Amino acid sequence: MSVNLEKQTPIYIYYGFAFLLLWEWLRPLQDFTETGNTFVFVIFIGLSFLFISIKSRWYVAVSVKIFYLLFVLHLLFFEGSFFNPAWLAIFIGDIIDNAALMLDASWMDITSPFRTLLFFILLWLLVYLINYWIIFQKRIMFFFIITLVYITVLDTFTEYDASFAIVRIVVIGFVLIGLLYLERLKVLERIKGQSYMTLKWVLPLTALIASAALIGILAPKAEPQWPDPVPYLTAYGSSDEGPNGSVNKIGYGPNDEQLGGAFVSDNTPVFTAVTEDRHYWRVESKDLYTGKGWDVSDPEAESVLMEPDNITLPYTEEGVDTIPLTASVDIESSYRYDHIIYPAGIKSVRLPRESVIDVNPLTELAEPRLAENRGTFPPESYNVSYEFPSYKIDELRKITSNEGTPEDIASRYTQLPEELPQRVRDLAAELTSENGNHYDKAKSIESYLGGPQFTYETTDVSVPRGEEDYVDQFLFETFKGYCDNFSTSMIVLLRAADIPARWVKGYSDGAFVQNLGGNEKEYQITNNNAHSWVEVYFSGIGWVPFEPTKSFTNPYDFTFNTNSQSSTETETPEQSQPEQTPRSEENDGASQPSSKNSSSWPFNIQIGSTTFYIILSAAALILFVLYKTRLRWMPYIILHKYKHRKDDKVYDQAYVALLKQLERYGLKRLEGQTLRDYARYVDSFFDVRDMSRLTASYEKSLYRGDNSKEEWIKSMKLWENLIKRIAS
């Protein structure tokens, strides 16, 4: 036997607590995964619970949620106008491609837009599952327990601090469990009404939960009884194996001549960064692959001295979309190197001492030097300004050769040792044979390394001996390793396909610490975050990062430009002619390079921008006002829907719509009350007889079999008067 909770306790109370409980699943994602903008998912589950609680028509709820889902996907992953159907066609093609990848169990190759879509669908299903538990089962214990387990596991095995999250979950869960148990008790004892009983139940329940939570917070806690497992499970980087086979600690080291071997994790802090976006932190790059590791092709290259406010490291070409950002870096005093740790696209650095920057032109290792004696010094705390790049997949796919690539880059970054085994070159040819451009070739290699045959491993990692090649050993024999194995293998395969690529080492984005207001977030980077990755050179675009290491996600933005022509289209002279029209100086400003459709969106609506929050707040306000004033505008929609219909089914549908409007107005029909009794109650409220006359006509057409269409025509005016009274 089930009970309608709406008749016992306001349903929005249950959905409100269920929303808070589900929210706890989303809170940690931005801290220990690459998931960003989690608030868009919070808004989605909020909308889902709202539509259920107000008992909205299913097609209205589905339409609004699909629109919101598509709007968010476009905002996150696509350029141009939302109303341009080109992006939707690209997205549908992406869904088809990813469906094929799922059938092949190529989970690591699934794209970010499709993963986001799947996550939205999962949340959608979760909301309906919770609705079933609350309304029909009147139980929430299972979901409460798995939420607690989920949060406690994250607290134990990741760097997410769930101290307050556990308190919130316990309070929310106990409130829901207590209220739902009361509803089951009412059904069991056949108790109806008696609001005082609910009050007598809720007051001690609230006191008990509050007391338990307060005691739990204030009570003394014992120290952990076993070591923190996080350092053993979150190791990202690599370190050399010693000559005697010893195992080294993870962390940055300048010598990469012999790669391979095991390492143990080290959670020693390296630096703290405050920045607006997650990204990797560069230290240096290497260009010479030796078959055993990495070296520099010209160790005697003369350093270049640069002013701190004008650092000219070539990273992206003109025309690539970038966002100007700043970050502050605070390096630990125990760090034993004097180099600057910086993001890609660095433009300037503000150091605590007057100095110049000594930059190696090959490795791009940057060290601050005192102007007087040229000696290096630890940079300690400093601020950097940089241009955060965003890459257009359409533009990358236009690069099909090294034409236009500087000769020194083309020769230096396609170097391979003559002793490289032929099967490595054959594998590169096989992986890229079906691709006509450099981007798809790089993605093909990246996807191959993310396949199920390769395993991320930090302890049982071989070191090539004798004539063994480091990459050949990984690709054809061991199939397991860490970031150095994956990144080096991708670069060698790219170079074998005549695509310039370089090996970059530094640190991954680190662990989230706290929000500092606005868009600024604080991250802590430790030795465990030592990492290496791949940068590929695209003519006319510059260096583009790729991430082949399993369990890692590329932190840089790759989007489709729906305003650009397809790479397969050829521009005719007539098409290019308008570009020859001179433009005024005011049209050549900073906004001109933007690929956004300025005619459709004359303002910035990027997630996190002020305009986005204004639009979001305005939309929420409009929805709230529409919901609160629904008794004034909804009757006119109902009038328009039924007034001009003359079919046989209209009377029944119009009468039911009237009953629902009266219930929204506050004239609720009691359980077991006949239509005639209810009609007299409505007439007494409005001091008319329209409802009784309309009901008599309705029952005549319904029970006596009289012509429903004719009865509707005769009584339509009575129905219209009542609808208008509700709206007045």
Side-chain angles (χ1 to χ4, degrees), residues 44 62 65-66 69 119-128:
F44 181 77
V62 169
K65 285 188 279 189
I66 289 178
L69 189 152
F119 192 56
F120 271 120
I121 295 173
L122 174 63
L123 292 176
W124 197 332
L125 294 175
L126 267 177
V127 169
Y128 278 101

Side-chain angles (χ1 to χ4, degrees), residues 220-470:
K221 281 81 175 175
E223 291 297 322
Q225 300 301 304
W226 57 300
D228 183 6
V230 172
Y232 298 96
L233 299 174
T234 59
Y236 292 146
S238 66
S239 181
D240 302 331
E241 185 179 15
N244 59 354
S246 61
V247 179
N248 292 298
K249 287 186 177 181
I250 185 175
Y252 169 82
N255 186 354
D256 304 299
E257 295 177 1
Q258 177 69 69
L259 296 180
F263 65 81
V264 295
S265 61
D266 179 13
N267 206 30
T268 303
V270 175
F271 65 97
T272 301
V274 175
T275 182
E276 297 180 25
D277 210 335
R278 285 181 175 269
H279 51 68
Y280 288 165
W281 297 88
R282 304 174 91 254
V283 173
E284 61 178 331
S285 67
K286 300 288 178 71
D287 64 336
L288 181 65
Y289 176 66
T290 64
K292 303 294 184 183
W294 289 96
D295 208 339
V296 182
S297 57
D298 185 6
E300 305 299 326
E302 186 176 352
S303 298
V304 178
L305 297 179
M306 299 184 184
E307 293 296 327
D309 58 353
N310 185 27
I311 298 177
T312 56
L313 291 178
Y315 194 76
T316 57
E317 303 289 342
E318 292 185 8
V320 176
D321 287 349
T322 58
I323 302 174
L325 296 176
T326 59
S328 62
V329 178
D330 187 5
I331 298 180
E332 296 290 329
S333 58
S334 59
Y335 191 61
R336 56 192 177 126
Y337 302 104
D338 292 342
H339 53 240
I340 294 173
I341 306 172
Y342 58 92
I346 183 174
K347 294 299 179 184
S348 65
V349 57
R350 188 166 70 248
L351 294 161
R353 306 170 68 177
E354 185 176 350
S355 59
V356 293
I357 308 299
D358 190 350
V359 180
N360 185 304
L362 295 183
T363 66
E364 298 185 349
L365 182 74
E367 297 177 302
R369 287 187 177 274
L370 296 173
E372 314 87 72
N373 57 18
R374 320 299 287 177
T376 62
F377 65 91
E380 299 173 344
S381 299
Y382 55 93
N383 297 323
V384 293
S385 300
Y386 58 103
E387 299 286 340
F388 190 75
S390 176
Y391 302 100
K392 301 294 185 297
I393 295 176
D394 313 66
E395 299 300 321
L396 294 173
R397 282 179 169 156
K398 292 179 181 178
I399 310 303
T400 59
S401 68
N402 291 330
E403 183 180 354
T405 301
E407 185 176 346
D408 61 328
I409 291 179
S411 59
R412 184 189 309 150
Y413 295 108
T414 56
Q415 168 274 334
L416 287 173
E418 294 181 1
E419 302 82 12
L420 182 72
Q422 184 60 38
R423 60 180 178 177
V424 176
R425 299 180 186 273
D426 293 341
L427 177 61
E430 178 185 346
L431 293 175
T432 60
S433 61
E434 297 182 0
N435 306 118
N437 60 79
H438 283 190
Y439 175 78
D440 287 337
K441 289 180 179 181
K443 292 299 291 184
S444 178
I445 295 172
E446 186 183 58
S447 299
Y448 176 75
L449 293 172
Q453 68 271 36
F454 294 101
T455 305
Y456 185 87
E457 175 64 61
T458 60
T459 56
D460 184 18
V461 182
S462 300
V463 178
R465 303 295 184 186
E467 299 299 321
E468 283 184 312
D469 182 88
Y470 176 69

